[in-house]
Amino acid sequence: MQHYDLFIGGKTTKPASNKWFDTSNPYTGEVWAKIPYGDASDVDRAVTAARTAGDGWAAMKASQRGHLLMKLADLLERNAERLAEIEVRDNGKLYAEMLGQMKYIPQWYRYYGGLADKVEGAVIPTDKTGIFNFTRHEPLGVVAMITPWNSPLFLLSFKLAPALAAGNTAVIKPSEFTSASALEFAQLCSEAGLPDGVVNVVTGFGADTGAALVAHPDVAMVAFTGSDAAGQKIYEQAAKDLKHVSLELGGKSPNIVFADADMEAAVVGAISGIFAATGQTCIAGSRLLLQRSIHDQFVEKLLAMAKTAKIGDPMKADTNVGPVTTPPQYKKVLDYIEIAKKEGAKCVLGGAPYAGPGASGGQLVQPTIFTGVRNDMRIAQEEVFGPILSVIPFEDEADAIKIANDVKFGLAAGVWTSDVGRMIRMSEKLRVGTVWVNTYRAFSYMSPFGGYKRSGLGRENGLDAIKGFLQTKTVWIATERNVASPFVMK
Ligand code: NAI
Ligand code: MG
């Protein structure tokens, strides 16, 4: 049994509560590690360590800060296999997917490390005479980072790399279901030479440990990824102190297939949209919108391919669909299958826990497809976060747009068509932060990502993301002596 401690001020440290909680392997159901239960006093210690480290970190030459982030990238690269294995043990995602993420994560630290010394203010040629005007971009201070269980270190890096490059320090509260990797990651930050207190990790549950962190008066910003429900609570709490907030929340993304699409590619896209990662991604293409003229033929092809998906051990190279990560999530997925059936949707694949070859005592669900779904059903409106696909027919472009936009979320959409004009029209009219055309689930540290509507606030990744962790200071310096009337604006 692995036994972890908190990571505060560059050192491992026991939680004040002297309590630990279990974390389990979703595939076997076995408890494999003890995670420290941090309380408000631990949060306070971590925020104080981050605040204390902040002055030195912000004052460090930006190129030196960038250099340290690049050293961290090299260390992460060397530890990719080990970290991927920890992620799989804790969240049950495919090893192939997690190893891919771990090998990609170093790029975030290289990209934003390289950007650290390119944060430039401006000299503004204002219309005032006798005053010199310029801007500087300064860090916010301590950033609280609250992350989910589906891609723990990947989603953390979206926040941590630009925040550190900008000169902020961090207190991380990972998901209570997948805390181990953040605690391991923090050790690598020290090994890379990041000063003590720049990166701190306090583990615990959302309602107490997470809430204490959000409410801490010395936290300047909360960067959150998770459910819209928790995002709303965090936003409300942060509003009390007018803290900066970024929110990357859920989705109910449509994958829209027109009759003129490359059918083979669209079938692969539909499957990757919902069954990859066992549907546990914010960008899951959980609504498949099919033009009516190709509906039956497409569903037939979709079923043929979905049936070949191999369910089981996420560590095995030939597994396609692993377990659902958390026990409450497992229950939620099964509950939604019942809700969809009661609503009158037709289950044409799966619809039950998986107990075939490779079943393990863990949280396995059969890939499930519902046809005959109406967009006003709960199964089409609410985020399930599991391998459940809702198929909805549409008539024409206008109908597709209406259905696609008729949800509270707006994270992403897929469009499958061979008509270039339609690609442009659809990308204009879809109320979402990312539109994929004839592809799905493409991601890069260089390209902005974030949500419209209830899918979130702010953008992660890309050049501009670093601005979310900076504030602008404007400086006016008189170049001429000025003793004009004090009662009139300059
Ligand atoms: P959650 O949103 O409750 O938890 C995410 C993180 O927020 C965790 O670290 C948790 O401890 C923390 N947290 C929760 N409430 C908090 C509060 N009041 N103050 C501070 N921190 C708080 O997500 P959960 O329970 O893990 O999953 C529930 C649902 O959320 C899923 O079924 C799915 O629909 C959605 N989800 C969306 C994700 C995304 O990438 N957008 C990722 C994970 C879940
Ligand atoms: Mg776990």
Side-chain angles (χ1 to χ4, degrees), residues 93-114:
K93 274 200 175 174
L94 298 189
Y95 181 72
E97 166 115 344
M98 296 324 275
L99 183 62
Q101 286 188 2
M102 293 311 117
K103 287 188 169 167
Y104 200 23
I105 282 174
Q107 290 303 98
W108 266 259
Y109 296 93
R110 294 195 177 111
Y111 179 80
Y112 288 105

Side-chain angles (χ1 to χ4, degrees), residues 482-490:
N482 188 325
V483 288
S485 166
F487 305 108
V488 180
M489 202 183 358
K490 297 266 176 315

Side-chain angles (χ1 to χ4, degrees), residues 12 44 56 187 231:
T12 55
D44 186 54
Q187 304 260 13

Side-chain angles (χ1 to χ4, degrees), residues 113-199:
L115 203 52
D117 59 5
K118 292 160 197 74
V119 173
E120 295 172 348
V123 173
I124 301 169
T126 68
D127 52 353
K128 307 289 165 181
T129 45
I131 317 189
F132 183 71
N133 180 244
F134 68 96
T135 57
R136 320 164 31 97
H137 302 295
E138 298 183 343
L140 298 166
V142 179
V143 182
M145 303 186 183
I146 299 184
T147 52
W149 39 259
N150 51 328
S151 291
L153 292 183
F154 193 56
L155 297 173
L156 169 64
S157 297
F158 287 17
K159 309 175 195 318
L160 190 63
L164 294 183
N168 300 280
T169 55
V171 178
I172 301 160
K173 209 300 282 171
S175 166
E176 50 271 40
F177 298 106
T178 57
S179 296
S181 61
L183 292 164
E184 297 273 358
F185 175 94
Q187 304 260 13
L188 295 178
C189 292
S190 270
E191 224 178 287
L194 269 68
D196 293 350
V198 169
V199 174

Side-chain angles (χ1 to χ4, degrees), residues 110-294:
R110 294 195 177 111
Y111 179 80
Y112 288 105
L115 203 52
D117 59 5
K118 292 160 197 74
V119 173
E120 295 172 348
V123 173
I124 301 169
T126 68
D127 52 353
K128 307 289 165 181
T129 45
I131 317 189
F132 183 71
N133 180 244
F134 68 96
T135 57
R136 320 164 31 97
H137 302 295
E138 298 183 343
L140 298 166
V142 179
V143 182
M145 303 186 183
I146 299 184
T147 52
W149 39 259
N150 51 328
S151 291
L153 292 183
F154 193 56
L155 297 173
L156 169 64
S157 297
F158 287 17
K159 309 175 195 318
L160 190 63
L164 294 183
N168 300 280
T169 55
V171 178
I172 301 160
K173 209 300 282 171
S175 166
E176 50 271 40
F177 298 106
T178 57
S179 296
S181 61
L183 292 164
E184 297 273 358
F185 175 94
Q187 304 260 13
L188 295 178
C189 292
S190 270
E191 224 178 287
L194 269 68
D196 293 350
V198 169
V199 174
N200 308 273
V201 181
V202 179
T203 50
F205 294 79
D208 47 10
T209 318
L213 178 58
V214 174
H216 196 291
D218 290 337
V219 165
M221 172 172 178
V222 185
F224 173 77
T225 299
S227 63
D228 61 324
Q232 186 180 331
K233 275 192 203 147
I234 286 168
Y235 199 13
E236 279 166 9
Q237 179 60 46
K240 291 185 185 154
D241 299 317
L242 297 172
K243 289 177 174 132
H244 292 243
V245 166
S246 72
L247 303 170
E248 202 274 271
L249 311 176
K252 198 71 198 178
S253 301
N255 226 335
I256 309 165
V257 187
F258 287 92
D260 63 6
D262 173 341
M263 288 303 140
E264 214 181 317
V267 168
V268 171
I271 300 265
S272 88
I274 191 64
F275 298 133
T278 319
Q280 302 174 115
T281 71
C282 48
I283 49 167
S286 52
R287 292 183 299 148
L288 178 63
L289 274 52
L290 296 179
Q291 193 152 24
R292 199 177 292 279
S293 60
I294 54 153

Side-chain angles (χ1 to χ4, degrees), residues 26-27 92 274-275 277-280 306 309-313 319-338 341 347 349-370 384-389:
Y27 176 59
I274 191 64
F275 298 133
T278 319
Q280 302 174 115
K310 210 167 158 215
I311 304 157
D313 184 348
T319 300
N320 303 123
V321 179
V324 169
T325 300
T326 82
Q329 187 60 31
Y330 181 60
K331 183 178 179 303
K332 181 178 170 185
V333 169
L334 295 177
D335 285 350
Y336 269 100
I337 290 174
E338 291 318 307
K341 287 177 181 169
C347 185
L349 184 73
Y354 174 78
S360 55
Q363 296 132 203
L364 292 164
V365 180
Q366 295 178 31
T368 297
I369 300 178
F370 285 101
V384 179
F385 224 66
I388 316 290
L389 182 65

